[in-house]
């Protein structure tokens, strides 16, 4: 079964936009159907080029996903070209027209003449209504090839691809099984370590496929379960997840939509505990990540970006004598910052980071990339020393991640 | 003149990688040659698919840029397929082999047998050595079509495309002129306002092309100058830039690689002035942007992420009575935070942000999206009220940007 994609749009050929829709489709096609795209073609908003690409693909393929060019304006040519390529007329589809009328009515406006164009589909095509927008998914057979036309707007594209295109391709490919996916997010364990831990599990879980994707400094572990029914697939998934959690343990920080920040906030919230930060080289990155999560204020008291020594003394209660004796990038300073910020804010936990992010700075003993993390909590204070590689951006990002993860593990490990 | 691109690589069809190289080529082709790509094709690492794509493109095009598949491993098939498509042999190119030997010798290793494959090129092809890597640019005529084969590694791709491919295409397209580009970065002025301001300039600057690109909340203004020589083009560019700066004024915050953070730090550094921050809804985003710039510590004293009221009182000296009377999201609080943080840190400038980032919160008078910015400096304190649209992420990002820009304008406008 040969599957291809065609993307249309001048903006994809002039450097204005990078197509990220295709990555979504490719990933889901691989995950759900175990199949890959053979070729991907991009053409501009030009009638002859779109028709040429459609005709060529129809001769080669069993299924083609075509995106873009279904909007209401004059440069939206895809439906028209699809009709020409198939040698059929464009006809107004009553259900799509009703859907458009209803969408416009909901906003209190009448359907404009140009928007009505979005109800035009090649004669003989099937449609699925777009619950996230106007233009429908158009499913059009051309000989042995089935074309799927979807809007290019990412939200609409994803909705229609996930809900209709991928399931239909799964059927076309002969998959009668249902697949469900769960992503477990891990940190501090390499892909090869994960693989070694999980390899012994596969024989006991025949309905599971284990996959990995690296998002440094995180590794995502994908559990794809299949079954005759959704319930059977979910049951297989639950069993496998339990086994995986047993062997991988605390390196798993969350699943699916979790972030390290959301999970850490949730662990603290569940214990009714609060947090304050003292950041030096990460310069606000940890605070920014935590406050990205709505509702962080019930956990996060605040954060001090103590960029100069005077700020460390004033806000994180670091004694001047300690700074003179050990320097700002030191185990002693990280410890003092964590305990100091905890006392300053009067909260349960203090988290600190101090280090050399580069490109200049550092000493022979503590070169660029050296970062000290401090966590002060009800059970005492601990410090970790990291040596990170890479440029300033990478050192800061990895340091912020490692600090949050150290806090998470410490909180989760502490008595509830 | 018809130009196409072909990208090769399984990773581009399985969701592992998004091609961003093409965007670079498309942008430079448009900027330097005024031309666009007619079609872009992506195929996997499969002999028959690569050959098929090459043969089809040769029949249609005047020039084709092919990327990827020039590495040393078994799945690097592009040079081999190019030879098959053209019906010629693969031959070892002496200059490329010497370049490879020298690169390996510089690292103190001898050239491995598989790496030697990278010196193989289709007979009759011309090469340009790759100063950033191993595989050369291969230039191969096939009938009326010229193929340019470049490695897919972004750094190498950009180097070879910029230095060799685009200039040769400019010649092919009949451009005997030299073009130089400068990007002026603006904020607070819409694309249509910029266009209205600049339209009167075009007649006085015939060698200039003005372009726009929106990167909300910034707008980039592109000045593309041409001349018979580089000097002539640069002179035309300088004249035009002067005229543009006169009409657009302070909305231009920087050029080329500048960021709003780097420019703001530089403005303060030039005045030997220092800064402290008090962030509420932006939660550290401003501090993170400023500390992304190496050497920020001579300007940035520190920043307080005052997420709860107690933190505003403790670190930004906001009176409890003021918070009770006006609330944390108010003109009075923004003003008190800016003056308070300035006094707390003992620096020249205090910058504050407080607002409702959403999705919940807000009042009838100050709904979600309301943000107050405060700037306290040697000349006094000012507050601006914004009403921002969009989700939490957007409100925070735009608020951080607007705050930095308010500071920049105020610093630049103050007596030096």
């Amino acid at each position: 079964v040969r599957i291809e994609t065609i993307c249309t749009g001048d903006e994809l050929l002039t450097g204005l936009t990078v197509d990220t829709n295709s990555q979504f489709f490719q990933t889901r096609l691989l995950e759900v159907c175990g199949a890959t795209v053979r070729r991907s073609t991009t053409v501009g908003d030009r009638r002859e080029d779109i028709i040429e690409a459609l005709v060529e693909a129809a001769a080669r393929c069993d299924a083609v996903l075509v995106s873009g060019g279904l909007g209401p304006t004059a440069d939206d040519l895809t439906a028209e070209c699809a009709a020409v390529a198939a040698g059929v007329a464009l006809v107004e589809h009553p259900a799509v027209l009703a859907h458009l009328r209803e969408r416009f009515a909901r906003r209190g406006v009448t359907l404009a003449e140009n928007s009505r164009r979005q109800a035009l589909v090649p004669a003989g095509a099937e449609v699925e209504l777009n619950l996230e927008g106007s233009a429908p998914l158009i499913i059009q057979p051309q000989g042995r090839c089935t074309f799927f036309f979807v809007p290019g707007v990412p939200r609409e594209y994803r909705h229609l691809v996930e809900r209709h295109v991928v399931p239909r391709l799964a059927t076309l490919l002969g998959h009668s099984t249902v697949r469900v996916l769960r992503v477990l997010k891990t940190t501090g364990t390499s892909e090869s370590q994960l693989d070694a831990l999980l390899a012994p599990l596969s024989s006991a879980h025949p309905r599971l496929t284990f996959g990995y994707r690296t998002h440094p400094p995180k590794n995502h572990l994908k559990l794809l379960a299949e079954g005759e029914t959704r319930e059977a697939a979910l049951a297989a998934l639950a069993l496998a997840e339990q086994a995986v959690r047993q062997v991988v343990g605390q390196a798993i920080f969350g699943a699916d939509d979790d972030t390290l920040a959301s999970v850490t906030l949730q662990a603290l919230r569940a214990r009714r505990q609060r947090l304050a930060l003292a950041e030096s080289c990460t310069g606000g990155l940890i605070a920014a990540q935590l406050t990205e999560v709505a509702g962080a204020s019930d956990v996060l008291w605040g954060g001090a970006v103590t960029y100069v020594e005077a700020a460390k003394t004033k806000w994180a209660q670091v004694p001047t004598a300690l700074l003179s004796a050990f320097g700002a990038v030191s185990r002693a300073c990280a410890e003092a910052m964590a305990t100091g910020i905890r006392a300053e804010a009067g909260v349960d936990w203090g988290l600190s980071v101090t280090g050399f992010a580069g490109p200049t700075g550092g000493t022979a003993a503590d070169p660029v990339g050296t970062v000290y993390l401090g966590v002060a909590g009800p059970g005492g204070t601990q410090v970790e020393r990291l040596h990170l590689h890479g440029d300033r951006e990478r050192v800061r990002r990895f340091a912020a991640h490692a600090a949050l993860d150290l806090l998470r593990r410490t909180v989760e490990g502490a008595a509830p």
Side-chain angles (χ1 to χ4, degrees), chain A:
Chain A
V1 175
R2 181 172 174 129
I3 302 171
E4 295 194 10
T5 57
I6 299 174
C7 304
T8 70
D10 284 341
E11 71 283 5
L12 298 171
L13 290 178
T14 51
L16 283 176
T17 306
V18 170
D19 163 47
T20 52
N21 284 340
S22 293
Q23 185 181 35
F24 176 80
F25 172 62
Q26 291 164 4
T27 304
R28 297 303 289 145
L29 182 66
L30 191 60
E31 285 170 355
V32 177
C33 308
T36 56
V37 169
R38 264 299 273 284
R39 181 196 281 218
S40 171
T41 304
T42 305
V43 291
D45 298 313
R46 198 192 266 244
R47 257 183 208 87
E48 59 191 289
D49 290 0
I50 300 173
I51 294 169
E52 185 182 58
L54 293 174
V55 170
E56 288 174 18
R60 274 195 305 260
C61 302
D62 302 288
V64 181
L65 177 66
V66 186
S67 58
L70 296 179
T73 62
D75 62 353
D76 289 304
L77 305 168
T78 303
E80 180 189 326
C81 292
V84 172
V88 299
L90 260 190
V91 296
E92 193 166 68
H93 195 290
V96 179
L97 186 63
H99 173 71
L100 291 174
R101 284 222 164 95
E102 192 197 319
R103 269 181 69 83
F104 274 71
R106 234 183 295 141
R107 300 179 192 172
V109 286
T110 50
L111 185 64
E113 203 46 49
N114 59 356
S115 294
R116 192 168 167 155
R117 286 188 61 208
Q118 294 185 286
L120 296 176
V121 305
E126 191 186 340
V127 302
E128 292 282 0
L129 296 181
N130 176 354
L131 304 181
E132 300 283 339
S134 302
L137 164 67
I138 302 172
I139 303 155
Q140 185 201 24
Q142 279 190 36
R144 71 170 175 106
C145 178
T146 305
F147 280 87
F148 297 88
F149 297 93
V150 291
V153 182
R155 204 182 60 251
E156 303 177 21
Y157 177 99
R158 287 170 181 236
H159 159 66
L160 292 169
V161 162
E162 182 69 24
R163 174 117 175 224
H164 299 294
V165 180
V166 170
R168 280 174 185 253
L169 288 175
T171 308
L172 186 74
L173 288 155
H175 280 287
S176 63
T177 52
V178 176
R179 298 189 180 202
V180 289
L181 174 76
R182 188 156 166 86
V183 177
L184 297 179
K185 298 181 173 176
T186 78
T187 188
T189 306
S190 73
E191 211 173 308
S192 57
Q193 288 172 319
L194 287 174
D195 190 45
L197 286 169
L198 298 188
L201 298 184
S202 22
S203 60
H205 298 275
R207 311 307 303 266
L208 260 285
T209 309
F210 297 102
Y212 306 94
R213 179 141 350 147
T214 294
H215 298 263
K218 304 181 286 284
N219 282 303
H220 290 181
L221 175 53
K222 296 183 165 199
L223 277 58
L224 185 66
E226 56 176 36
E228 280 64 45
T229 63
R230 188 173 165 78
E231 289 63 38
L234 284 171
L237 181 64
L239 273 178
E241 179 174 346
Q242 201 179 9
V244 168
R245 285 186 178 271
Q246 213 143 35
V247 295
V248 180
Q250 231 196 341
I252 298 172
F253 67 83
D256 298 334
D257 293 335
D258 291 338
T259 65
L260 185 53
S262 72
V263 164
T264 307
L265 288 170
Q266 192 46 45
L268 289 165
R269 189 175 292 121
R271 290 163 177 80
R272 297 176 183 280
Q273 293 177 334
R274 298 173 79 203
L275 169 68
L277 312 167
E279 298 184 64
S280 189
C281 68
T282 49
L285 281 180
I286 301 174
Q289 279 171 39
L290 289 169
T291 58
E292 202 177 291
V293 183
S297 60
D298 57 352
V299 170
L300 184 66
W301 187 89
V305 179
T306 56
Y307 220 54
V308 299
E309 296 202 348
K312 292 180 179 71
T313 302
K314 189 147 203 167
W315 288 340
Q317 305 184 359
V318 180
T320 319
L322 184 150
L323 287 166
S324 313
F326 301 99
V329 178
S330 62
R331 184 171 290 273
C333 185
E335 183 175 348
M337 285 168 71
T339 54
I341 202 72
R342 177 172 182 256
E344 172 86 3
V347 292
D348 309 277
W349 296 90
L351 178 65
S352 71
V353 187
T354 180
F356 293 117
T360 59
T363 63
D366 286 328
V368 166
T370 304
V371 176
Y372 291 92
L373 313 175
V375 173
T381 304
Q382 57 175 314
V383 177
E384 262 192 22
R385 180 180 189 270
L386 307 176
H387 188 70
L388 300 169
H389 298 277
D391 62 11
R392 181 179 179 87
E393 187 276 326
R394 187 175 185 276
V395 169
R396 282 161 43 94
R397 190 160 50 85
F398 274 61
H401 175 87
L404 264 184
D405 196 50
L406 176 63
L407 174 66
R408 172 189 70 88
R409 290 173 189 247
T410 312
V411 171
E412 287 178 351

